[in-house]
Amino acid sequence: MLTPSRLLRDSPSPPPPTTKPRTNPTRNSHREPHPHLPRVTLPLPIIIIRARAVITTPPHARRGSASTEMGNAPEGETEGSGFKLRGFRGFVRANPRSDRFPVHGFHHVEFWTGDASTAAGRFAFALGMPLSARSDLSTGNPVHASYLLRSRSLRFLFSAPYGPGPGAGAAIPSFDPERARRFVAAHGLAVRAVALRVADAAAAFRVSVAHGARPAFPPADLGDGFALSEVELYGDVVLRYVSFPADQNPGEAPGFLPGFEDAAAAAAAGEPGRGPLDYGLRRLDHAVGNVPELGPAVAYVAGFTGFHEFAEFAAEDVGTAESGLNSVVLANNEETVLVPMNEPVHGTKRRSQIQTYLDHNGGPGVQHLALASDDVLRTLREMRARSGAGGFEFMPPPPPNYYDGVRRRAGDVLSDEQIAECKELGVLVDRDDQGVLLQIFTKPIGDRPTIFLEIIQRIGCMMKDDDGREYQKGGCGGFGKGNFSELFKSIEEYEKSLESKQSTTVPAS
Ligand SMILES: [Fe+2]
């Protein structure tokens, strides 16, 4: 999923709830030329692209008659719980606004780790996300150490256990030290919770469970009007609901959750070593999960959230000759919460990279987090400058001739200079019928070849809400379908390099 930034003005925050044009493109228009997209000059103008609306049956109804609708479904379709994958070419996008409860957007992502301060320090350095809040022994929390990094509305929380079991003083009431230890042993550094800000965490929990969600933690009143609840998402990952009073502006509130101490206050008090840290990351764009079987996973999540299908990709759309995957993207009403899920495709010459993930992660889990920047080229320069000093490394760049295709596909939006900069930094470029996506992928960010990050910028799709405020339509520019094959070639090359190391280091029996 991709888009660049000096190209766009401020990378939009999640659109406000009152948006109007809910137009949706047909899948088949994605290859059409884009005569309305001006060549971008620095600074980039806002590109407004209005797509053609289509009316389709809501996904919940559609699933019930999937077998007849899908009579001509392409190869690679997947079945499970009445769900069938149509793939990119067979899918028609529509937004039935079918959420079962009000969802305002992503709130935070929590990683469980063995040592939270070490993990948070590395991410802060690598991503330019300063420490924003803490809850640990120094704040009177004897159960877990938790550190929150924040860059605009992007929030990463790192938590590690102290004591033997749950106890008084935990800032996250669902935190169980024993479970956290088992989680880390099973998965390594991994995402435990994808948190959404909802209108009412208790109501969201009740509605979810009533529609089939497996409960993980019942609603808890955190004080000051904050509430938290959790349901299972996939594997050992939970979907966390967080709610707090409307007057708590999520963009400006000094606090994160009750029980957390504002770390920015410490910096303001003159704590040494706290300079400005900002590489341009602004928000979480999408959180992708890998599961063994897509059908039941999609039916489960869509069933209790009401989220609609935003996109589909079948193996034939995204795979290389040797590996592939099937993927479905679910979205909330405002399409600000995008939760794709992937399943492996079997029977190919080479094992699917999704299966490799599942093996190394010990089951389903979050595969990657896409972080939106307001200037991806600047973000990349900052991140790459730290790659060799403890920051994150990136997947190898595509072959040089890849950028000849970029010039053909996006030369009306990106200048030659910008394309040259993308080439220098290894940024991939894709577009759909609505906008342009700039994207790049890190190598795995922990010890295991599992979770990685995607850094993106979306260009185009600017709209206005009822109050005349501009925002960018969710998922503008797609998810990098046109780059999947390049990405997977890179991943396969990386996996092959790991395998060759194994074969040279494992002693002969
Ligand atoms: Fe992605």
Side-chain angles (χ1 to χ4, degrees):
M1 311 137 183
L2 0 139
T3 345
S5 140
R6 243 161 282 159
L7 319 174
L8 256 194
R9 304 206 277 230
D10 240 359
S11 206
S13 301
T18 52
T19 55
K20 2 176 154 153
R22 284 290 130 200
T23 55
N24 296 287
T26 63
R27 289 340 261 23
N28 298 328
S29 60
H30 73 288
R31 293 189 190 281
E32 291 173 1
H34 304 269
H36 306 302
L37 291 177
R39 171 178 291 277
V40 174
T41 53
L42 302 175
L44 296 180
I46 288 182
I47 303 161
I48 299 180
I49 307 169
R50 299 198 185 278
R52 182 155 56 92
V54 294
I55 299 172
T56 61
T57 308
H60 310 305
R62 199 174 64 220
R63 282 194 192 90
S65 58
S67 56
T68 52
E69 261 195 31
M70 305 309 211
N72 298 318
E75 259 181 68
E77 70 182 22
T78 252
E79 293 190 47
S81 302
F83 170 85
K84 284 190 178 182
L85 187 72
R86 283 154 296 187
F88 188 77
R89 275 168 285 185
F91 181 76
V92 176
R93 186 181 295 174
N95 184 350
R97 300 182 70 81
S98 49
D99 290 0
R100 297 199 187 279
F101 46 87
V103 175
H104 296 323
F106 286 117
H107 186 257
H108 68 271
V109 173
E110 183 180 32
F111 294 80
W112 275 1
T113 174
D115 192 82
S117 60
T118 302
R122 187 189 183 207
F123 276 69
F125 174 74
L127 297 172
M129 297 178 66
L131 181 67
S132 173
R134 61 150 49 93
S135 182
D136 58 12
L137 288 173
S138 74
T139 68
N141 181 347
V143 181
H144 59 91
S146 286
Y147 303 102
L148 179 76
L149 306 182
R150 178 177 158 193
S151 187
R152 194 76 65 87
S153 64
L154 176 64
R155 297 177 183 86
F156 279 174
L157 182 65
F158 298 86
S159 296
Y162 282 134
I172 306 286
S174 57
F175 191 90
D176 179 333
E178 275 309 316
R179 176 175 292 159
R181 284 193 188 86
R182 291 196 303 270
F183 180 97
V184 171
H187 308 300
L189 174 71
V191 170
R192 164 60 176 174
V194 175
L196 307 181
R197 186 190 171 195
V198 299
D200 182 335
F205 180 87
R206 281 196 304 273
V207 170
S208 296
V209 171
H211 289 89
R214 296 182 291 273
F217 191 76
D221 182 353
L222 306 182
D224 298 332
F226 283 77
L228 176 150
S229 63
E230 295 172 355
V231 297
E232 293 182 11
L233 185 56
Y234 37 67
D236 287 333
V237 184
V238 297
L239 188 64
R240 175 177 293 164
Y241 301 136
V242 176
S243 60
F244 45 87
D247 59 356
Q248 290 273 2
N249 183 333
E252 300 302 329
F256 169 56
L257 294 175
F260 279 78
E261 187 175 279
D262 182 12
E271 197 169 305
R274 296 286 179 76
L277 195 58
D278 181 3
Y279 305 164
L281 296 176
R282 294 296 173 252
R283 64 183 174 84
L284 178 63
D285 187 272
H286 54 276
V288 184
N290 281 347
V291 298
E293 200 179 349
L294 197 50
V298 169
Y300 169 69
V301 177
F304 74 79
T305 58
F307 289 179
H308 61 279
E309 290 168 36
F310 185 81
E312 289 187 3
F313 305 97
E316 60 185 8
D317 296 322
V318 301
T320 63
E322 293 185 332
S323 81
L325 57 80
N326 292 322
S327 183
V328 167
V329 183
L330 294 180
N332 65 332
N333 281 357
E334 304 307 329
E335 301 180 337
T336 54
V337 172
L338 301 171
V339 283
M341 283 175 272
N342 302 323
E343 71 174 358
V345 170
H346 301 289
T348 51
K349 189 167 69 175
R350 186 176 169 76
R351 185 174 58 167
S352 165
Q353 54 142 313
I354 306 303
Q355 189 59 49
T356 298
Y357 172 100
L358 295 171
D359 292 347
H360 283 277
N361 189 60
V366 170
Q367 179 215 35
H368 77 267
L369 300 167
L371 317 182
S373 168
D374 63 3
D375 185 345
V376 75
L377 300 178
R378 172 191 158 224
T379 301
L380 258 292
R381 286 198 184 282
E382 297 281 4
M383 288 184 66
R384 280 194 180 281
R386 290 156 180 84
S387 291
F392 297 135
E393 296 182 35
F394 291 88
M395 299 303 285
N401 61 2
Y402 165 85
Y403 291 93
D404 296 337
V406 169
R407 202 162 283 110
R408 286 193 298 275
R409 282 185 297 157
D412 57 336
V413 174
L414 302 175
S415 68
D416 287 347
E417 293 73 22
Q418 288 167 332
I419 293 173
E421 203 169 354
C422 289
K423 183 176 181 178
E424 177 195 346
L425 293 168
V427 173
L428 304 171
V429 182
D430 197 18
R431 78 185 305 166
D432 66 4
D433 58 313
Q434 301 192 18
V436 170
L437 174 69
L438 305 188
Q439 72 183 158
I440 190 167
F441 298 89
T442 70
K443 289 182 178 176
I445 54 177
D447 298 332
R448 306 184 188 196
T450 52
I451 184 171
F452 58 90
L453 300 176
E454 176 184 6
I455 312 297
I456 72 169
Q457 186 177 350
R458 298 188 181 279
I459 302 172
C461 318
M462 299 310 295
M463 307 186 80
K464 288 189 176 179
D465 66 15
D466 292 340
D467 298 324
R469 290 175 299 178
E470 281 185 332
Y471 69 93
Q472 188 178 41
K473 199 165 180 292
C476 176
F479 296 89
K481 172 191 169 291
N483 288 320
F484 281 172
S485 144
E486 289 299 331
L487 165 67
F488 297 145
K489 281 178 196 163
S490 297
I491 290 177
E492 286 167 13
E493 289 306 311
Y494 180 67
E495 288 177 356
K496 283 176 184 172
S497 73
L498 290 183
E499 288 168 9
S500 69
K501 296 281 185 190
Q502 294 291 316
S503 60
T504 55
T505 54
V506 174
S509 58

